[in-house]
Amino acid sequence: MATRKRSGSGSKRQFKEKVVQIYECLLKGDDVSQHNALFWDEFFLLKPKVATLENEIQKMSVEQLQAAKPNINILFNQCVKILDQQNNIRVAYGMLTLCTLLDSLSKTAVENQIDAIEFLSGFENLPDQIQKLLTLCQTYLEGDSLDTVKALCLKLILILTTGVESINQNTLIEYIMMSPLFDCLVNLLCDVPTRQRHGYDVVLIITLLVNYRKYDATNPYVVKLSILDDELALNGYSQVITSSLADFCNQYNSEHAEQQNASWFSSLTNIVGNMFVSDEGGFRTQQVRANNALLLALYEAIHLNRIVISTHHM
């Protein structure tokens, strides 16, 4: 009797989704759009695989990055170009791809001790593209776009702002400083539903930009925050800080109460367990560090804006 040939796990070919195959070809330097004028329109209808793109970029050597730079430049430009379309899916996928690309390049640059800004500076028409990108972000943030798109716009601005270990060496921030983004961010804090969804990122962006070369030159964000007198905006700013810090304090108090209410046996068990595993302290330290930005935001508001102090917004 004939036996059926079994395909062992070693011989089984792993299926790769189309978008993953495109990532691999792009980063190898292949011409992915050859003979297909609609390639990029079709590409941005494919759901991005964030983890895959991150892994593919972060495992590249400096030499491989340099070899793939023309294609990375093309991908960057196509992401910016697709954001100008009215198709919500393409815009969201383009923004997500761009966030992943820039974030991964920044992390890879740090790991390989190369200058991320210098790498990006080799991109064709980078100043024009960054300015266009910021204009598009502002348009989506001010318009009736999807919350997902607004969240990605804010994430992108955060990535551009924090792409270098030292914020003062990040020359990309100069483009943000020249844009009318401050008023756009402030307006987001005035609307309650928008503030509840995006307020944390907005306050974080403002705080980071206020601290860019704060003592070296005139920082427009320092000036604008110090003279801000919009009651709704200041109230929204303070609400974000108060709410986030209150959540952290409530969580701490809840955990502390649970520990106090535990039986003596549970307490003894925890003590013995903590002799060998002491992750809790490290986790709590991480929680505190996660709120450092809000504490800094609180300091900047009180330090710079006289209205915050006089009207006790905090």
Side-chain angles (χ1 to χ4, degrees):
M1 184 172 65
T3 57
R4 182 181 297 175
K5 185 178 179 181
R6 295 182 180 179
S7 57
S9 58
S11 62
K12 186 178 180 180
R13 296 184 63 182
Q14 187 176 6
F15 172 76
K16 288 184 180 179
E17 294 185 48
K18 184 176 180 180
V19 70
V20 175
Q21 296 176 29
I22 293 173
Y23 291 158
E24 292 179 350
C25 292
L26 267 170
L27 297 176
K28 286 178 185 175
D30 297 344
D31 184 358
V32 293
S33 60
Q34 190 176 20
H35 308 309
N36 185 358
L38 298 176
F39 173 82
W40 292 107
D41 284 336
E42 296 170 358
F43 173 76
F44 287 111
L45 288 176
L46 300 173
K47 186 177 181 180
K49 295 293 181 181
V50 173
T52 302
L53 183 55
E54 284 179 344
N55 291 334
E56 289 295 324
I57 293 176
Q58 290 181 28
K59 70 183 183 183
M60 296 175 74
S61 65
V62 177
E63 292 75 18
Q64 289 172 325
L65 277 173
Q66 290 297 338
K69 189 171 183 176
N71 270 7
I72 295 175
N73 185 187
I74 291 171
L75 179 58
F76 175 84
N77 288 338
Q78 291 296 333
C79 285
V80 176
K81 183 179 179 181
I82 209 71
L83 298 182
D84 221 355
Q85 289 197 8
Q86 300 300 316
N87 186 296
N88 286 331
I89 294 177
R90 288 195 178 104
V91 168
Y93 287 175
M95 188 69 75
L96 182 56
T97 301
L98 189 55
C99 286
T100 306
L101 176 67
L102 293 177
D103 190 43
S104 301
L105 285 175
S106 298
K107 292 176 181 176
T108 305
V110 171
E111 291 172 2
N112 289 286
Q113 296 183 333
I114 61 176
D115 190 337
I117 303 300
E118 185 178 334
F119 184 86
L120 292 175
S121 296
F123 283 11
E124 184 181 0
N125 300 323
L126 181 69
D128 293 338
Q129 291 291 69
I130 294 293
Q131 288 175 353
K132 181 180 179 181
L133 185 56
L134 291 171
T135 300
L136 288 167
C137 283
Q138 185 170 339
T139 300
Y140 287 123
L141 289 172
E142 292 176 340
D144 296 326
S145 54
L146 298 173
D147 279 331
T148 303
V149 173
K150 289 188 177 184
L152 287 170
C153 286
L154 293 170
K155 181 180 180 182
L156 180 61
I157 296 168
L158 279 170
I159 291 170
L160 290 173
T161 305
T162 59
V164 178
E165 282 189 299
S166 172
I167 192 172
N168 289 335
Q169 295 176 358
N170 188 352
T171 53
L172 291 180
I173 295 179
E174 294 292 342
Y175 300 112
I176 301 176
M177 291 294 179
M178 292 186 291
S179 72
L181 191 62
F182 181 85
D183 292 336
C184 171
L185 295 173
V186 165
N187 288 334
L188 292 176
L189 294 174
C190 296
D191 180 67
V192 176
T194 304
R195 182 176 71 235
Q196 290 173 341
R197 287 188 288 267
H198 308 296
Y200 181 91
D201 285 343
V202 170
V203 170
L204 182 56
I205 290 170
I206 292 175
T207 303
L208 287 168
L209 294 175
V210 162
N211 282 274
Y212 173 68
R213 297 183 179 176
K214 186 176 180 181
Y215 303 108
D216 296 342
T218 302
N219 180 323
Y221 273 69
V222 172
V223 176
K224 290 177 180 179
L225 183 58
S226 65
I227 63 175
L228 181 64
D229 59 358
D230 187 318
E231 189 76 15
L232 282 175
L234 289 172
N235 184 62
Y237 189 97
S238 64
Q239 285 292 328
V240 171
I241 297 173
T242 303
S243 176
S244 298
L245 293 179
D247 287 344
F248 170 71
C249 292
N250 290 336
Q251 182 181 355
Y252 173 81
N253 289 334
S254 176
E255 292 173 357
H256 189 63
E258 287 177 5
Q259 290 175 359
Q260 286 185 327
N261 293 332
S263 65
W264 68 269
F265 181 76
S266 297
S267 299
L268 180 61
T269 304
N270 287 334
I271 291 172
V272 174
N274 287 335
M275 290 179 183
F276 302 98
V277 182
S278 58
D279 290 337
E280 184 181 350
F283 176 68
R284 186 163 294 153
T285 301
Q286 288 180 342
Q287 287 180 310
V288 173
R289 286 176 179 170
N291 286 280
N292 282 352
L294 290 173
L295 294 173
L296 181 59
L298 173 62
Y299 164 77
E300 296 295 358
I302 295 174
H303 175 65
L304 294 174
N305 194 290
R306 55 183 174 77
I307 300 177
V308 172
I309 301 174
S310 61
T311 58
H312 304 288
H313 277 284
M314 301 295 178

